[in-house]
C-alpha cells in the first residue's frame, strides 16, 4: 500500500488498531535514582507517563512516636535520623522547639556555633545533591568532584562533633562543644578552595549543552502551584518565589549576617523547571560560604550553652518553629504537658511536600525525565517517612 | 494582621462554627467547629486581606484524657507574612471532619498521614489511604493507647527477640 493509501485507510477506519495500551511499571523500592527506599507505580503509554504514583513509608521508623518515650534531651540523637544528609538542621529544629517551649535563650557564641555547623552542613548537603543529580542524569565524573569537596566538610564536622553524618551536636540551650582549636583557619582554607572548585564545576557541567537540554523546560512548577503544595526552600525559590526563612522570618543570628536569596529566573528555559531548581542550589552554596566567613569574623567569646536542667520539664503548652534546612522550611511542632516527656512532636519536612507534588507534575513527562524531576526536588526518603 | 484581627474577621463572616481565640499563646490559635472547618479555610485562603495561601503544617494530637483528638492547622500567608493556628476537636471514638484538600493540595498527604497514624477520617478526601504504615496494619500508632503487636507477618517484634 502506498503512503497516501495508508492515510486514506487511517481516515476511513479511524485509529482503530493503532492505539497503544497503557503499561503499568514498577520503579523501586530499591532503585539508584530514588535516593533512599521509595517506590513509584508508573502508568505509561510507551515512553510517556500518564501518572507516577509515589508509594512511601519504607523508611518509617516512628520517630515521632519515639519522641514520646525518650524525653526531651534523649530525643536529640533520633532527630539526626530524620534527615541524615542534613542532620544539623534537625538538631537545630528540635532544640529551638524546646527552647521556645521553655523560654530559654541561647548564648550568642552558641548561636554562632550552630549557624557555622548548619551552613557547613547545607554546603555538604547541596554538594551531595549536585553530585547525585548529575549522576542520575547520566554523567559520572562530576559526582567524584562534588564528593571530594563533601568529604572535606565531613572531616571538619567530624572534628567538631565526632560524627560524619549523624552529628548529635546541638543541645537544648546551645551546642555540646565549642569549636576545636584552629577550626576557623581550616574551615576558611577549605572555603577558599571550594569557590574555585565550584566555578570549575559550573564550567564542567552546569552549562554543559547536553545537561542543560535534559533539564530546561522539564517538569515546570509554577509559583502558585508550588505554594499550594507547600513546596519549600530551594524548590520554592526555583519556582521564582523570593522567600527564605533565614531572611524573612529570621531566627538565631541570621539578622546580623548578610546574604542574598537566589531564585530561579528561567535562564535556560522556563521559571520553575528542573534546571532552576538545580542552579538555585549552586548559588546557595556561594551564599553559605559568605555567611560562614562573616560568622568567623563576628563570633564573640563566651559560653556556648545555657544552663538547662538535666531533668528538662518545659511548662505545658505548645510551640511551632520553622527553620530553613537544606531542603527548605522544616516545621517542628512540639506539645508539652508539663512532664519530662514530650506529649507530641510532629516534624513537617521539605521532602514530604516535594514528594506529594510528583503525582501532579509527572503526567506527560517521559519516564527518563521522572528521574530528573525526583532528583531536582532533592527528595530524601527518610525525611518523608520519618 | 494579628490573631485578634483575624478572629474578628472570622466572627463577622461566620455566625456559627468559630470558637474562642487564644491570642496570648506562643502561637495564637482559634478553635473551629469540625463542620465549619472547610468553609473557614476557604475564606481564609480567598479573602484578599487574609490570603492564607500556605498550609504550613497539619497534624493531629491525641488527648486521651479528654476523649478528643485535636487536628491542628498551621497557616501562613506569603503575601502578608502573617500566620494563625486553627484547632479542631473531634471525638476520639468517631473522629471525622471535612477535608481541606480542595483549598490546599498540601492537605492531601498530611490528611492521609493523620488518618494513618491517628485514625481520623476526612470526609470528601480524594484518596484516603494509609501513607506510612503498611496497608494491612491494624490500629493507629500515634494514639496514646496503641499497643505494639507482638508480631507482623510472622516477624517477632518484641525487644527480647531483637536482642537475642
Amino acid at each position: 500500500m502506498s503512503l497516501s493509501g495508508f492515510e486514506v485507510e487511517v481516515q476511513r477506519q479511524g485509529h482503530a488498531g493503532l492505539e497503544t495500551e497503557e503499561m503499568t511499571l514498577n520503579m523501586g523500592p530499591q532503585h539508584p535514582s530514588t535516593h533512599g527506599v521509595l517506590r513509584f507505580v508508573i502508568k505509561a503509554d510507551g515512553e510517556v507517563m500518564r501518572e507516577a504514583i509515589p508509594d512511601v513509608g519504607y523508611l518509617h521508623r516512628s520517630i515521632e512516636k519515639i519522641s514520646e518515650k525518650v524525653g526531651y534531651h534523649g530525643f536529640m540523637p533520633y532527630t539526626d535520623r530524620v534527615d541524615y544528609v542534613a542532620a544539623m538542621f534537625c538538631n537545630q529544629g528540635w532544640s529551638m522547639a524546646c527552647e521556645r517551649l521553655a523560654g530559654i535563650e541561647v548564648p550568642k557564641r552558641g548561636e554562632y556555633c550552630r549557624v557555622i555547623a548548619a551552613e557547613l552542613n547545607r554546603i555538604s548537603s547541596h554538594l551531595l545533591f549536585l553530585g547525585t543529580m548529575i549522576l542520575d542524569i547520566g554523567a559520572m565524573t562530576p559526582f567524584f568532584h562534588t564528593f571530594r569537596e563533601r568529604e572535606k566538610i565531613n572531616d571538619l564536622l567530624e572534628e567538631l562533633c565526632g560524627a560524619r553524618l549523624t552529628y548529635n551536636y546541638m543541645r537544648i540551650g546551645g551546642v555540646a562543644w565549642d569549636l576545636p582549636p584552629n577550626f576557623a583557619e581550616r574551615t576558611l582554607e577549605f572555603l577558599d578552595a571550594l569557590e574555585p572548585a565550584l566555578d570549575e564545576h559550573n564550567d564542567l557541567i552546569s552549562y554543559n549543552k547536553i545537561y542543560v537540554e535534559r533539564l530546561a523546560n522539564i517538569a515546570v512548577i509554577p509559583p502558585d502551584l508550588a505554594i499550594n503544595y507547600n513546596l519549600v526552600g530551594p524548590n520554592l525559590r526555583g519556582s521564582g518565589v523570593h522567600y527564605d526563612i533565614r531572611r524573612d522570618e529570621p531566627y538565631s543570628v541570621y539578622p546580623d549576617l548578610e546574604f542574598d536569596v537566589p531564585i530561579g529566573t528561567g535562564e535556560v528555559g522556563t521559571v520553575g523547571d528542573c534546571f532552576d531548581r538545580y542552579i538555585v542550589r549552586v548559588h546557595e552554596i556561594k551564599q553559605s560560604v559568605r555567611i560562614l566567613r562573616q560568622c568567623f569574623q563576628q563570633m564573640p567569646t563566651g559560653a556556648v550553652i545555657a544552663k538547662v536542667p538535666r531533668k528538662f520539664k518545659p511548662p505545658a503548652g505548645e510551640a511551632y518553629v520553622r527553620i530553613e534546612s537544606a531542603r527548605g522550611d522544616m516545621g517542628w511542632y512540639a506539645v508539652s504537658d508539663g512532664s519530662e516527656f514530650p506529649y507530641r512532636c510532629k516534624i513537617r519536612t521539605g521532602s514530604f511536600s516535594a514528594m506529594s507534588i510528583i503525582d501532579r507534575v509527572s503526567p506527560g513527562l517521559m519516564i527518563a525525565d521522572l528521574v530528573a524531576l525526583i532528583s531536582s526536588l532533592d527528595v530524601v526518603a527518610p525525611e518523608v517517612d520519618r | 494582621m494579628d490573631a485578634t484581627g483575624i478572629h474578628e474577621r472570622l466572627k463577622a463572616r461566620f455566625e456559627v462554627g468559630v470558637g474562642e481565640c487564644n491570642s496570648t499563646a506562643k502561637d495564637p490559635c482559634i478553635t473551629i467547629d469540625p463542620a465549619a472547618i472547610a468553609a473557614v479555610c476557604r475564606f481564609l485562603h480567598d479573602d484578599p486581606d487574609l490570603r492564607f495561601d500556605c498550609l504550613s503544617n497539619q497534624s493531629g494530637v491525641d488527648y486521651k484524657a479528654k476523649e478528643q483528638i485535636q487536628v491542628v492547622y498551621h497557616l501562613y500567608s506569603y503575601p502578608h507574612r502573617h500566620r494563625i493556628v486553627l484547632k479542631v476537636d473531634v471525638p476520639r471514638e468517631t473522629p471525622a471532619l471535612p477535608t481541606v484538600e480542595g483549598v490546599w493540595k498540601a492537605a492531601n498527604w498530611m490528611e492521609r498521614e493523620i488518618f494513618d497514624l491517628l485514625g481520623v477520617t476526612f470526609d470528601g478526601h480524594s484518596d484516603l489511604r494509609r501513607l506510612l504504615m503498611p496497608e494491612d496494619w491494624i490500629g493507629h500508632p500515634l494514639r496514646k493507647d496503641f499497643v505494639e503487636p507482638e508480631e507482623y507477618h510472622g516477624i517477632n517484634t518484641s525487644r527480647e527477640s531483637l536482642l537475642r
Side-chain angles (χ1 to χ4, degrees):
Chain A
M1 199 191 298
S2 70
L3 188 64
S4 55
F6 176 74
E7 280 168 3
V8 171
E9 193 70 6
V10 168
Q11 273 179 11
R12 194 163 60 79
Q13 291 194 357
H15 286 72
L18 294 175
E19 65 278 288
T20 47
E21 253 180 63
E22 188 180 270
M23 269 188 302
T24 305
L25 293 174
N26 180 64
M27 180 170 157
Q30 280 118 326
H31 186 280
S33 79
T34 55
H35 299 209
V37 192
L38 148 75
R39 177 172 161 248
F40 286 90
V41 178
I42 300 169
K43 302 221 167 105
D45 183 356
E47 274 288 312
V48 179
M49 291 189 295
R50 292 218 174 120
E51 215 178 355
I53 307 161
D55 178 16
V56 301
Y58 290 91
L59 285 165
H60 180 56
R61 292 142 297 161
S62 62
I63 288 179
E64 292 175 5
K65 184 80 176 174
I66 291 172
S67 78
E68 297 170 14
K69 313 265 178 185
V70 294
Y72 290 89
H73 289 300
F75 188 48
M76 194 61 77
Y78 289 94
T79 63
D80 287 331
R81 275 79 182 166
V82 172
D83 175 3
Y84 49 63
V85 182
M88 282 297 178
F89 300 99
C90 309
N91 280 190
Q92 196 177 7
W94 177 240
S95 336
M96 279 170 57
C98 297
E99 285 148 14
R100 185 136 192 260
L101 272 177
I104 295 168
E105 200 171 324
V106 179
K108 208 78 175 163
R109 190 174 173 84
E111 289 284 18
Y112 273 99
C113 287
R114 279 186 179 181
V115 170
I116 288 169
E119 292 303 325
L120 275 172
N121 200 184
R122 188 187 312 277
I123 297 176
S124 89
S125 171
H126 281 0
L127 285 173
L128 178 130
F129 161 81
L130 301 186
T132 52
M133 166 126 192
I134 296 160
L135 189 66
D136 288 345
I137 298 298
M140 193 90 183
T141 315
F143 172 81
F144 297 107
H145 291 199
T146 63
F147 267 59
R148 178 190 63 200
E149 301 305 318
R150 182 168 175 269
E151 270 312 291
K152 294 176 190 162
I153 299 185
N154 284 352
D155 289 344
L156 285 169
L157 290 176
E158 186 180 17
E159 216 174 311
L160 181 66
C161 60
R164 296 170 74 81
L165 280 180
T166 47
Y167 306 112
N168 188 22
Y169 174 57
M170 296 182 196
R171 296 287 180 272
I172 300 165
V175 295
W177 300 281
D178 204 341
L179 305 182
N182 298 326
F183 186 78
E185 288 75 15
R186 272 196 300 273
T187 309
L188 290 170
E189 204 176 297
F190 161 71
L191 296 179
D192 290 341
L194 178 68
E195 279 178 315
L198 210 57
D199 292 338
E200 187 190 69
H201 174 87
N202 278 340
D203 289 344
L204 179 67
I205 187 78
S206 291
Y207 295 97
N208 175 304
K209 190 170 189 307
I210 303 168
Y211 185 62
V212 166
E213 288 193 359
R214 277 297 308 272
L215 301 180
N217 297 317
I218 299 294
V220 176
I221 303 176
D224 51 339
L225 188 72
I227 290 175
N228 203 255
Y229 271 89
N230 194 17
L231 231 57
V232 290
N235 295 332
L236 184 67
R237 292 191 281 278
S239 291
V241 180
H242 204 217
Y243 186 85
D244 187 317
I245 310 253
R246 291 175 292 172
R247 189 197 63 182
D248 297 297
E249 309 276 327
Y251 57 95
S252 194
V253 288
Y254 284 111
D256 302 339
L257 301 164
E258 254 180 59
F259 57 98
D260 297 329
V261 178
I263 57 167
T265 53
E267 62 178 299
V268 297
T270 318
V271 175
D273 60 6
C274 286
F275 185 82
D276 275 354
R277 286 189 286 278
Y278 163 83
I279 205 72
V280 157
R281 290 179 169 92
V282 177
H283 296 319
E284 273 186 21
I285 295 181
K286 293 191 173 162
Q287 297 306 320
S288 289
V289 171
R290 262 180 87 187
I291 292 175
L292 281 164
R293 289 219 168 96
Q294 294 171 54
C295 280
F296 287 117
Q297 273 176 5
Q298 298 176 4
M299 208 171 171
T301 51
V304 292
I305 184 163
K307 276 202 163 50
V308 177
R310 192 160 280 209
K311 213 173 204 138
F312 183 70
K313 282 186 181 178
E318 50 192 71
Y320 182 62
V321 300
R322 296 155 74 209
I323 61 161
E324 184 72 29
S325 102
R327 262 154 280 285
D329 177 349
M330 193 183 211
W332 289 76
Y333 176 54
V335 182
S336 161
D337 60 351
S339 75
E340 55 185 297
F341 298 101
Y343 190 75
R344 173 87 167 93
C345 164
K346 153 91 186 184
I347 310 156
R348 206 265 305 125
T349 63
S351 298
F352 186 83
S353 43
M355 190 72 89
S356 71
I357 204 170
I358 289 175
D359 206 350
R360 170 68 179 263
V361 183
S362 57
L365 287 183
M366 308 277 272
I367 293 175
D369 293 337
L370 176 65
V371 175
L373 171 62
I374 300 168
S375 35
S376 78
L377 288 169
D378 196 14
V379 167
V380 170
E383 208 195 27
V384 180
D385 299 344
R386 287 154 287 135
Chain B
M1 199 182 285
D2 66 352
T4 326
I6 294 166
H7 187 239
E8 277 165 18
R9 287 295 294 263
L10 282 177
K11 275 283 186 198
R13 171 69 180 72
F14 294 93
E15 282 174 14
V16 287
V18 179
E20 293 302 303
C21 170
N22 181 353
S23 55
T24 54
K26 290 195 180 71
D27 301 304
C29 60
I30 300 173
T31 313
I32 307 286
D33 283 351
I37 185 68
V40 166
C41 287
R42 173 49 70 194
F43 175 71
L44 287 171
H45 179 275
D46 291 348
D47 189 86
D49 295 334
L50 300 170
R51 280 301 285 139
F52 281 101
D53 52 355
C54 172
L55 175 64
S56 176
N57 185 26
Q58 188 182 3
S59 54
V61 189
D62 179 12
Y63 290 102
K64 188 166 180 299
K66 286 192 272 181
E67 282 300 314
Q68 274 174 343
I69 288 180
Q70 192 169 64
V71 180
V72 187
Y73 303 72
H74 289 89
L75 310 185
Y76 184 71
S77 167
Y78 280 102
H80 298 305
R81 304 277 154 94
H82 57 207
R83 77 215 67 214
I84 193 70
V85 182
L86 305 181
K87 291 184 171 182
V88 180
D89 291 313
V90 287
R92 208 165 169 278
E93 289 305 309
T94 51
L97 69 162
T99 176
V100 294
E101 191 198 342
V103 185
W104 302 284
K105 289 286 179 198
N108 185 327
W109 274 36
M110 295 200 210
E111 288 178 352
R112 276 180 70 186
E113 185 184 317
I114 300 168
F115 166 74
D116 187 0
L117 302 180
L118 282 149
V120 178
T121 317
F122 291 90
D123 301 328
H125 192 285
S126 62
D127 185 25
L128 200 62
R129 290 179 292 129
R130 282 192 186 270
L131 183 71
L132 301 176
M133 303 302 287
E135 279 165 28
D136 58 352
W137 192 262
I138 297 163
H140 304 286
L142 276 181
R143 289 224 180 180
K144 291 287 173 186
D145 54 359
F146 177 77
V147 184
E148 285 169 52
E150 287 186 359
E151 64 157 44
Y152 177 69
H153 288 287
I155 305 163
N156 194 322
T157 60
S158 70
R159 187 172 281 261
E160 290 69 34
S161 81
L162 292 170
L163 295 174
R164 196 167 52 220

